Amino acid sequence: MTGRAMDPLPAAAVGAAAEAEADEEADPPASDLPTPQAIEPQAIVQQVPAPSRMQMPQGNPLLLSHTLQELLARDTVQVELIPEKKGLFLKHVEYEVSSQRFKSSVYRRYNDFVVFQEMLLHKFPYRMVPALPPKRMLGADREFIEARRRALKRFVNLVARHPLFSEDVVLKLFLSFSGSDVQNKLKESAQCVGDEFLNCKLATRAKDFLPADIQAQFAISRELIRNIYNSFHKLRDRAERIASRAIDNAADLLIFGKELSAIGSDTTPLPSWAALNSSTWGSLKQALKGLSVEFALLADKAAQQEENDVVEKLNLFLDLLQSYKDLCERHEKGVLHKHQRALHKYSLMKRQMMSATAQNREPESVEQLESRIVEQENAIQTMELRNYFSLYCLHQETQLIHVYLPLTSHILRAFVNSQIQGHKEMSKVWNDLRPKLSCLFAGPHSTLTPPCSPPEDGLCPH
């Protein structure tokens, strides 16, 4: 067999990892991923030592039995920005990554996340490996860095809660290894280890568990999840606009209060002929000056209505859906495309063989062609097995998407609770402010009374 049984990563997967090459720290280029040895299709199962093989699930191996609560309970990982920047000439950003499950706290750089994702794609090319946020660009501001921190947190939490990734040594190393050479440790963990296809006991039998109409089901599921993604993308955009308006509202209230304070602090002398014996202007200024504190409190409450939690939950779900879309593309552009090319090459060889036989060529050249045809048949067999295993994994990943669908209720509950709490707190501040307005207006006999509510024509009958 001339080709390797272990396919290289699909082009889309390799491209996504390669684009995030060197971060702002300008690390030396990472070494190539470990390449497994050539393996004949019939020896795939025998080649893997029994202890390292993934165990066969109980019952129907195609069906997942996880709930959203179980997945969320697997781990909660925090990613916090380290304020100090290290490096003699080029500065870089460092993150503190803390895992509840492993009770660990380690420091990671962006390139560590890149190598971590590369190892996941290397070992699990047929699973939903989330994408990483873009590397730092020149002139990146705090807003960009904060957005990337949140994206890295979503990435590592999705990985830590995946049924397969959560039990893999790569994840444990990334979340708990405290040495300085974490990238080398991650690569060593994949040294001479093939991908999931080579390590799964069910790989060569995946076709037996698939429904007969798997291709039709795959097309329908892909269209459904594409529609869900588009809808949730619009919901996320609306939530971001609501959050943005809350920030603008807070800023406007703060400026409103400052302008009232500016009126109250005005030191321009008042002509005696304008005020006569009335002290209205002085009392009014004193009252307006104090209101700036109340409006600052209103601004603070309005800022707290920012829907960060809702936006993050929506982004988490969108990241998961995007990883499914990426997986579908890897399936079509990777294994399926290679299978089709292998079949086309095999067809050409068969025609050459028929032509050589008809032309009575030398036996040696005919034998060489026959040997190549046998090798191509082995390659096609491997491609077929990988194609069915890819569909097998896709079937399970589709189920995983549906396990996450109840996250919708979490998102809506967070949105409604945020609105209720925010409006309740704002209402309390407004109600506390209302009695203080009475001191702004002076009535008969120096009694301070609030003005009447004007009728519809805008004129007060008094």
Side-chain angles (χ1 to χ4, degrees):
M1 183 173 178
T2 57
R4 291 182 308 210
M6 168 61 195
D7 297 328
L9 293 177
V14 175
E19 286 178 359
E21 45 197 354
D23 196 26
E24 59 270 22
E25 66 262 36
D27 274 353
S31 58
D32 294 337
L33 301 180
T35 304
Q37 301 298 318
I39 304 168
E40 295 297 331
Q42 60 268 24
I44 287 175
V45 177
Q46 291 81 359
Q47 177 264 349
V48 183
S52 65
R53 273 189 228 140
M54 299 178 183
Q55 297 302 311
M56 183 183 301
Q58 298 296 323
N60 187 344
L62 191 62
L63 302 180
L64 297 180
S65 58
H66 306 285
T67 65
L68 178 60
Q69 288 71 24
E70 290 172 349
L71 294 181
L72 297 179
R74 284 178 179 259
D75 199 359
T76 298
V77 184
Q78 300 295 335
V79 178
E80 300 299 336
L81 193 65
I82 303 299
E84 309 91 62
K85 291 185 176 181
K86 300 179 180 179
L88 185 59
F89 299 107
L90 296 175
K91 306 298 182 181
H92 67 264
V93 177
E94 199 169 29
Y95 305 91
E96 182 179 8
V97 182
S98 306
S99 165
Q100 283 187 0
R101 176 187 175 189
F102 296 104
K103 295 179 174 57
S104 60
S105 181
V106 294
Y107 297 99
R108 296 288 180 257
R109 292 155 66 172
Y110 179 78
N111 273 2
D112 299 333
F113 283 88
V114 171
V115 174
F116 177 45
Q117 189 208 35
E118 286 176 351
M119 295 303 102
L120 289 173
L121 285 168
H122 173 71
K123 299 184 74 173
F124 302 98
Y126 310 124
R127 300 290 180 176
M128 294 187 298
V129 179
L132 284 173
K135 63 179 180 179
R136 183 178 184 180
M137 308 303 293
L138 291 177
D141 54 15
R142 289 185 179 181
E143 185 177 350
F144 172 85
I145 295 174
E146 172 59 20
R148 190 174 69 171
R149 181 198 66 80
R150 293 195 298 264
L152 291 173
K153 178 182 176 181
R154 296 194 303 268
F155 164 82
V156 73
N157 273 285
L158 285 174
V159 171
R161 294 164 180 171
H162 190 283
L164 285 177
F165 304 161
S166 62
E167 303 302 323
D168 194 77
V169 65
V170 172
L171 175 72
K172 184 176 181 180
L173 279 171
F174 183 79
L175 292 179
S176 60
F177 180 74
S178 57
S180 59
D181 56 343
V182 62
Q183 295 184 24
N184 290 329
K185 285 291 182 181
L186 290 170
K187 292 170 185 175
E188 287 173 7
S189 69
Q191 190 74 32
C192 300
V193 177
D195 64 0
E196 184 186 1
F197 174 72
L198 298 178
N199 296 325
C200 181
K201 295 173 67 174
L202 297 176
T204 57
R205 299 169 49 208
K207 182 180 180 181
D208 300 337
F209 302 102
L210 294 172
D213 60 342
I214 181 62
Q215 293 288 359
Q217 287 191 25
F218 167 57
I220 294 173
S221 296
R222 187 177 185 182
E223 181 64 23
L224 171 63
I225 292 173
R226 183 188 293 115
N227 293 338
I228 294 174
Y229 175 87
N230 291 337
S231 295
F232 271 85
H233 196 280
K234 294 175 182 177
L235 288 174
R236 193 277 312 275
D237 289 347
R238 295 301 103 182
E240 284 183 338
R241 291 189 57 168
I242 292 173
S244 178
R245 285 199 297 271
I247 295 175
D248 292 342
N249 186 33
D252 290 341
L253 286 169
L254 190 62
I255 293 174
F256 194 94
K258 288 181 178 179
E259 289 302 320
L260 290 177
S261 178
I263 296 174
S265 303
D266 187 87
T267 57
T268 305
L270 182 69
S272 58
W273 58 266
L276 298 178
N277 295 323
S278 173
S279 61
T280 302
W281 178 239
S283 302
L284 185 62
K285 285 203 306 177
Q286 188 66 28
L288 290 176
K289 187 175 181 179
L291 287 180
S292 62
V293 176
E294 307 298 330
F295 276 89
L297 181 59
L298 281 167
D300 182 59
K301 295 297 182 183
Q304 292 176 13
Q305 285 186 267
E306 185 179 354
E307 306 299 336
N308 274 339
D309 185 46
V310 177
V311 172
E312 277 305 292
K313 283 183 168 62
L314 286 165
N315 277 327
L316 178 75
F317 192 44
L318 284 172
D319 288 350
L320 180 71
L321 296 174
Q322 182 62 54
S323 67
Y324 181 86
K325 293 173 64 179
D326 295 342
L327 175 61
C328 293
E329 290 186 9
R330 287 205 300 274
H331 171 73
E332 291 187 340
K333 296 179 179 179
V335 176
L336 188 59
H337 181 61
K338 290 177 182 177
H339 187 203
Q340 292 169 345
R341 284 193 303 174
L343 288 173
H344 177 68
K345 184 176 180 180
Y346 177 73
S347 176
L348 292 177
M349 287 183 177
K350 292 290 286 185
R351 286 201 294 268
Q352 291 176 3
M353 182 67 182
M354 294 174 61
S355 176
T357 304
Q359 295 176 9
N360 294 322
R361 290 186 182 175
E362 296 181 4
E364 184 178 347
S365 62
V366 174
E367 288 179 5
Q368 290 177 350
L369 195 53
E370 286 178 344
S371 176
R372 290 174 57 199
I373 290 175
V374 171
E375 291 174 350
Q376 189 64 19
E377 287 173 346
N378 290 336
I380 290 172
Q381 183 183 358
T382 302
M383 285 293 100
E384 273 189 357
L385 292 174
R386 282 187 171 273
N387 183 47
Y388 282 117
F389 184 68
S390 178
L391 287 169
Y392 173 91
C393 295
L394 263 170
H395 197 292
Q396 289 190 326
E397 299 301 275
T398 303
Q399 295 176 64
L400 195 58
I401 291 290
H402 286 269
V403 171
Y404 267 95
L405 280 178
L407 190 63
T408 305
S409 65
H410 292 236
I411 296 169
L412 291 176
R413 188 181 300 113
F415 177 69
V416 171
N417 289 342
S418 172
Q419 292 295 314
I420 291 173
Q421 185 64 25
H423 284 85
K424 184 185 295 184
E425 292 179 359
M426 288 289 288
S427 177
K428 183 180 184 306
V429 178
W430 283 117
N431 283 322
D432 291 343
L433 174 62
R434 187 175 181 182
K436 300 177 182 179
L437 299 180
S438 60
C439 64
L440 295 177
F441 305 96
H445 311 294
S446 301
T447 302
L448 300 176
T449 58
C452 62
S453 300
E456 293 183 358
D457 58 4
L459 299 176
C460 179
H462 300 292

